[in-house]
Amino acid sequence: MIGIDVGGANLKIVDESGVHIHYCPLWKESDLAEIISTYAGRENAAVVMSGELADGFITKSEGISYIVDAVLQTFPDAVFYGIDAKFHMKACPQLAAANWLASVDLLRRTYPDGMMLDIGSTTADIVPFSQFTRLIGMTDTLRLQQGYLVYTGMLRTPVAALANSAEINGIMTPFSTEYFACSGDAHFVLGHIGFDEYSSATPDGKEVSREACLRRLARMVCADLEEIGEEGALHIAESFWAAQRDLVCTAVEKVRKDAGADPLLVGGIGSSTFAPLTGGVDLTSALGIPADALPAYSVREIAGVLERSYGIV
C-alpha cells in the first residue's frame, strides 16, 4: 500500500522505497491523475488531502470530487481518511483538509501527551494530541481560530505577508506588496533549504539559484540586485525570517502552554530549522519518520494497522 497526500501545490507519496514529492499545482490544469498513474501496480492507496481548497475549484466539494476521481482511476479500491478519523471509499465532505489529523492520529498513539508542529511549503500545523476526540471534525477555519493552523510555510508565503520593511543602506525601507519574492527565496539564501527542497514554482517563474533568489528579494524594495547589493537583499530575507520565526514560535508556545503538551514533534520541510528553535524533536533525524511527507506516511501506517488487525482496509 502507498500513502498519498494531495496538497494544493505538492503531491506527496510514500511507498516502500521512500518519499516522492511532485510539484502539482491544482489551481492550474493539473496532471494529478497522470502522476498517480505512474504508481500503478501497487496493492492499494490510502489518501489524505488539503488540495480541495485550491482556488481552481469553485467549492471544496468540487475539489474533493476531482481529487478522489483522479486517485480512483488508478486505485479503484483506494481509501480516503476523513476529518471524522474514519476511512471512506468515495467523495464526501469529511475528506476536506484531513491530512493534519492523520498525522496526529498516528503520533498520538506513541506520544499521547505530545504535540506536533508540521511546517511545510505553505502552512504550519500546531496541534496537541491530548483530547483527540475534540479534534475530530475540526475544520481549517476552526483551527485558524484556535491557533492550531498558522498560514505560513517554508516556500510559498509572500514575503510582504509577514514583513513590511528592511534596512537598506542604513535606511528602513518599506516593502512593496507585490508578489516579487516568497519564503522559499528567503530560506534558500539563508541556508535553511537547498535546491531539492525548493520544489514549488518561483514568483517570477525563473530558476532556483542564489543569485535568482537574491534578485527576487531585491524587487521587494523595487530595486535591482545591483542597486542594493547582496547585503541589502539578505537584510530583506532576514526581516522576513525574523517575522516568520516569531509568528510560528509564539504560536507553538501558546499551544504548548495551554495544553501542557510534551514532547513537541516537528515535521515538514522546516523540521530541521524549527526543531532547535522550539526545543522540539525532529521527526526525521531523531525518529526516522519522513518529516517532509508526514501525512502521507501517517495515513499509510494507519491503514496498514487496520488492514493487519481487522482486514477492513
Side-chain angles (χ1 to χ4, degrees):
M1 180 176 291
I2 66 173
I4 301 177
D5 177 17
V6 184
N10 291 295
L11 170 66
K12 300 180 181 181
I13 295 178
V14 172
D15 61 15
E16 67 282 353
S17 66
V19 174
H20 313 277
I21 300 178
H22 306 270
Y23 181 58
C24 183
L26 296 185
W27 57 89
K28 299 180 179 179
E29 185 176 345
S30 87
D31 52 356
L32 178 62
E34 182 180 346
I35 296 173
I36 292 173
S37 71
T38 64
Y39 293 87
R42 308 312 203 276
E43 181 179 340
N44 202 3
V47 186
V48 288
M49 67 180 72
S50 62
E52 78 289 333
L53 191 62
D55 58 13
F57 307 118
I58 296 174
T59 65
K60 288 186 283 187
S61 293
E62 180 185 336
I64 290 168
S65 294
Y66 176 87
I67 293 168
V68 169
D69 289 346
V71 173
L72 293 180
Q73 289 179 38
T74 299
F75 297 101
D77 297 320
V79 291
F80 300 83
Y81 185 90
I83 203 68
D84 54 358
K86 298 177 182 179
F87 282 100
H88 302 264
M89 301 288 290
K90 60 183 180 180
C92 60
Q94 289 83 0
L95 301 185
N99 58 351
W100 65 275
L101 189 66
S103 299
V104 171
D105 197 355
L106 178 69
L107 295 174
R108 73 181 177 94
R109 301 173 190 221
T110 306
Y111 306 95
D113 297 318
M115 64 177 286
M116 171 186 77
L117 164 62
D118 185 2
I119 181 160
S121 64
T122 310
T123 61
D125 297 310
I126 305 170
V127 190
F129 302 156
S130 61
Q131 300 179 326
F132 178 72
T133 55
R134 189 172 67 86
L135 301 175
I136 293 174
M138 188 172 283
T139 65
D140 276 358
T141 302
L142 292 173
R143 290 202 299 137
L144 285 167
Q145 293 170 341
Q146 291 288 325
Y148 293 174
L149 173 61
V150 178
Y151 225 92
T152 186
M154 298 295 289
L155 299 183
R156 299 186 58 243
T157 304
V159 165
L162 296 186
N164 56 26
S165 64
E167 185 176 307
I168 305 296
N169 298 325
I171 302 171
M172 288 305 298
T173 308
F175 291 165
S176 73
T177 55
E178 294 284 356
Y179 184 46
F180 284 136
C182 62
S183 51
D185 296 318
H187 288 298
F188 189 87
V189 301
L190 293 174
H192 300 159
I193 61 172
F195 181 82
D196 289 340
E197 288 81 18
Y198 198 150
S199 58
S200 63
T202 60
D204 60 3
K206 295 183 171 59
E207 76 275 8
V208 175
S209 68
R210 181 173 179 80
E211 180 177 340
C213 290
L214 290 169
R215 288 190 178 279
R216 285 189 286 271
L217 288 162
R219 279 284 192 270
M220 293 305 306
V221 292
C222 305
D224 289 336
L225 181 58
E226 291 76 11
E227 293 180 77
I228 64 171
E230 182 172 321
E231 181 181 5
L234 286 174
H235 283 172
I236 294 168
E238 290 162 355
S239 175
F240 170 82
W241 168 229
Q244 186 182 56
R245 180 186 62 225
D246 291 349
L247 176 66
V248 173
C249 290
T250 298
V252 167
E253 284 309 306
K254 183 180 186 306
V255 172
R256 179 154 47 187
K257 181 180 178 181
D258 290 348
D262 185 66
L264 169 65
L265 307 175
V266 187
I269 62 171
S271 58
S272 61
T273 300
F274 277 93
L277 294 174
T278 57
V281 177
D282 184 328
L283 285 170
T284 296
S285 63
L287 302 178
I289 294 174
D292 54 349
L294 181 57
Y297 172 82
S298 297
V299 75
R300 180 176 184 255
E301 291 295 305
I302 295 169
V305 169
L306 290 175
E307 183 178 47
R308 291 189 296 271
S309 299
Y310 306 107
I312 59 175
V313 172

